[in-house]
Amino acid sequence: RCVLVDDDRHLLVVHAGMGRHRRAVWGLPCGHIDPGEAPDRAARRELSEELYLSVDELSFVDDYAYKGSWHRVYTAPCATPVERFDDRELLEIGWFTVEDVQELADSGVLHAGYEIDVIRLLAAQAPLRAAS
């Protein structure tokens, strides 16, 4: 998984498998790791496949448990507009502030639930990164 960040906004997506026939839920871009593939390489590959993006900087955030598996979460700056996406894998994309993501969490429309925790953490670290 990867949180793309543009200033105070964070990119969330609705994966096709999570929303075509039921209530759409918002989550982080990316997906599975292929056998023998490093997690950071998988994140880069999935960003390329889903959003047609190549990221230069990719930073590890943390591992989060979800449905008996661990999800490794990365973050990357994304000043490039996301103009298109693979509509076979994603139904929708959107940029959200921390407050927006909190509203999604309160409405029960976050995929895994940990998205708000990751985004809060990144938002809290943003002033520290800016001061460096």
Side-chain angles (χ1 to χ4, degrees):
R1 304 280 176 221
C2 186
V3 180
L4 296 173
V5 180
D6 180 14
D7 195 25
D8 68 338
R9 301 176 315 141
H10 309 83
L11 186 83
L12 295 177
V13 302
V14 176
H15 281 94
M18 299 306 301
R20 285 209 196 276
H21 303 292
R22 52 187 176 255
R23 183 175 167 195
V25 292
W26 292 91
L28 302 177
C30 292
H32 71 281
I33 300 173
D34 288 337
E37 186 176 37
D40 62 324
R41 193 99 168 107
R44 289 177 190 280
R45 176 183 51 76
E46 288 282 352
L47 288 172
S48 175
E49 289 174 4
E50 291 181 355
L51 299 167
Y52 309 110
L53 286 178
S54 175
V55 295
D56 294 326
E57 298 175 47
L58 190 66
S59 302
F60 172 71
V61 176
D62 208 346
D63 292 324
Y64 291 83
Y66 176 67
K67 288 190 175 180
S69 296
W70 286 98
H71 291 208
R72 177 146 293 180
V73 179
Y74 295 92
T75 187
C78 184
T80 305
V82 179
E83 297 177 350
R84 62 191 187 108
F85 57 89
D86 183 346
D87 62 3
R88 293 167 299 166
E89 291 201 39
L90 304 175
L91 297 178
E92 194 172 347
I93 64 172
W95 290 95
F96 299 89
T97 64
V98 175
E99 295 79 15
D100 297 333
V101 178
Q102 184 62 59
E103 287 181 26
L104 295 173
D106 293 344
S107 299
V109 293
L110 288 181
H111 170 68
Y114 63 72
E115 296 90 349
I116 185 61
D117 299 327
V118 175
I119 290 170
R120 273 196 212 116
L121 176 66
L122 293 174
Q125 292 174 350
L128 299 175
R129 285 191 306 273
S132 301

